[in-house]
């Protein structure tokens, strides 16, 4: 979950605003929540690097 699927999920509120023809405050709030959630998924799913030097 790092490529096109994440981009599509993040764009849902934007596409909705384009469909409506205006930007509503609730849509902006949903966009902020989606963006924060996707950011957390990407950061938390990042593979851990080993601490050893070998």
């Amino acid at each position: 979950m790092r490529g096109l699927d994440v981009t599509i999920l993040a764009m849902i509120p934007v596409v909705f605003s384009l469909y409506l023809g205006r930007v509503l405050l609730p849509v902006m709030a949903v966009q902020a929540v989606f963006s924060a959630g996707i950011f957390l998924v990407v950061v938390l799913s990042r593979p851990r690097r080993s601490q050893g030097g070998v």
Side-chain angles (χ1 to χ4, degrees), residues 9-10 12 14 16-17 19-20 29-31 38 42-43 52:
L9 285 174
I12 290 172
V14 173
F16 187 69
S17 289
Y19 176 74
L20 291 177
V30 169
Q31 179 67 51
I38 291 169
V42 170
V43 168

Side-chain angles (χ1 to χ4, degrees), residues 10 28-44:
M28 287 176 45
V30 169
Q31 179 67 51
V33 170
F34 270 30
S35 297
I38 291 169
F39 175 77
L40 287 175
V41 166
V42 170
V43 168
L44 295 176

Side-chain angles (χ1 to χ4, degrees), residues 1-32:
M1 191 164 173
R2 289 178 167 257
L4 183 60
D5 53 346
V6 174
T7 303
I8 291 171
L9 285 174
M11 294 298 292
I12 290 172
V14 173
V15 172
F16 187 69
S17 289
L18 289 172
Y19 176 74
L20 291 177
R22 60 182 177 214
V23 179
L24 303 172
L25 187 59
V27 176
M28 287 176 45
V30 169
Q31 179 67 51

